[in-house]
Amino acid sequence: MAVGRSAALKVEWAKIGSSLGLKGQTLASLNAFKKRNDDARRKVQHLEEQPQSIDFAQYRQVLKNQAVVDQIENHFKNFKPATYDVSRQIKAIEAFETQALKNAQETKGLVDKELVDLEKTLKNIETARPFEDLTVDEVAAARPDIDERTAQLVSKGRWQVPGYKEKFGDLSVL
C-alpha cells in the first residue's frame, strides 16, 4: 500500500488537464475523480492517526460484567478484515481512462479542424479588398444569389428592394 500511496502523491493533477488540453466533460470527470481521491486519502490518514490498541484490562477494572469484556476481547482477537477483489474497480477506472482518452482525441481533432477553418477565414479577411473598391460584377460573381434575386425583382417590375424604406427611410427630396 505504501507504493500506491507514494505514486498517488506524485500525481500532479493540475498539469494533467493543462498538458493534455482536457476540456468540458473530460476535465470535469477528472476533477471529480481527484476529489474522490483526496477524500479517500484524508479518511485513510485520519484512521491511521487513531489509536489501534485496546486496553482490555482497563475495561475489566471499570465494568462489572467480565463476560462481556471477555467476549469482546475474543471477537477482537479473532477479527480478520475482509479482503475485497478490486479488479472490477480497476477495470472501471481503465474503461474511464480509455473513454477519457477517446474524448480528448475527438476534442483535439475538432479543435484542430476549427483552427484550420479559422486560419483560412483570417487569411481571407486579411487579403480581402475593401468593400468600397469592389465592383458590382465582383459582388455578383462572389454571391450569384444576389444577381438572381435582382433579376427576379426586375422581371416582376419591382425596382425597389422590399423593406428598404422601412429600414432606411425614404431619402427622396420632397
Side-chain angles (χ1 to χ4, degrees), residues 160-173:
Q160 294 181 355
V161 177
Y164 183 86
K165 284 186 179 181
E166 288 81 10
K167 189 170 186 179
F168 299 106
D170 190 3
L171 299 177
S172 63
V173 179

Side-chain angles (χ1 to χ4, degrees), residues 51-144:
Q52 297 185 9
S53 62
I54 299 174
D55 185 13
F56 288 105
Q58 169 68 24
Y59 286 108
R60 283 192 181 86
Q61 289 176 358
V62 174
L63 297 174
K64 293 180 182 179
N65 191 348
Q66 300 295 314
V68 171
V69 176
D70 291 337
Q71 186 179 10
I72 292 173
E73 184 177 18
N74 188 23
H75 285 296
F76 182 76
K77 287 180 181 177
N78 293 331
F79 175 75
K80 291 190 176 41
T83 56
Y84 292 98
D85 182 21
V86 293
S87 61
R88 266 185 35 216
Q89 286 83 357
I90 291 173
K91 286 180 184 176
I93 291 170
E94 288 172 352
F96 169 79
E97 180 182 359
T98 56
Q99 184 64 33
L101 287 173
K102 180 182 169 190
N103 288 344
Q105 292 297 331
E106 288 175 7
T107 303
K108 182 183 180 295
L110 292 173
V111 168
D112 289 344
K113 182 180 176 185
E114 189 172 336
L115 281 174
V116 168
D117 289 345
L118 288 174
E119 286 174 1
K120 191 186 300 181
T121 303
L122 181 61
K123 189 180 291 183
N124 189 10
I125 290 170
E126 289 172 347
T127 59
R129 290 189 1 218
F131 186 74
E132 300 84 36
D133 295 345
L134 294 177
T135 64
V136 173
D137 292 332
E138 291 172 333
V139 172
R143 295 278 313 269

Side-chain angles (χ1 to χ4, degrees), residues 145-174:
D145 60 315
I146 294 174
D147 207 18
E148 292 171 9
R149 178 76 173 139
T150 305
Q152 181 185 25
L153 289 173
V154 169
S155 70
K156 292 182 179 179
R158 296 188 185 153
W159 297 99
Q160 294 181 355
V161 177
Y164 183 86
K165 284 186 179 181
E166 288 81 10
K167 189 170 186 179
F168 299 106
D170 190 3
L171 299 177
S172 63
V173 179
L174 295 175

Side-chain angles (χ1 to χ4, degrees), residues 19-35:
S19 67
L20 296 177
L22 301 178
K23 292 184 171 103
Q25 181 184 5
T26 307
L27 186 60
S29 297
L30 181 66
N31 288 334
F33 180 77
K34 178 193 176 298
K35 183 181 181 304

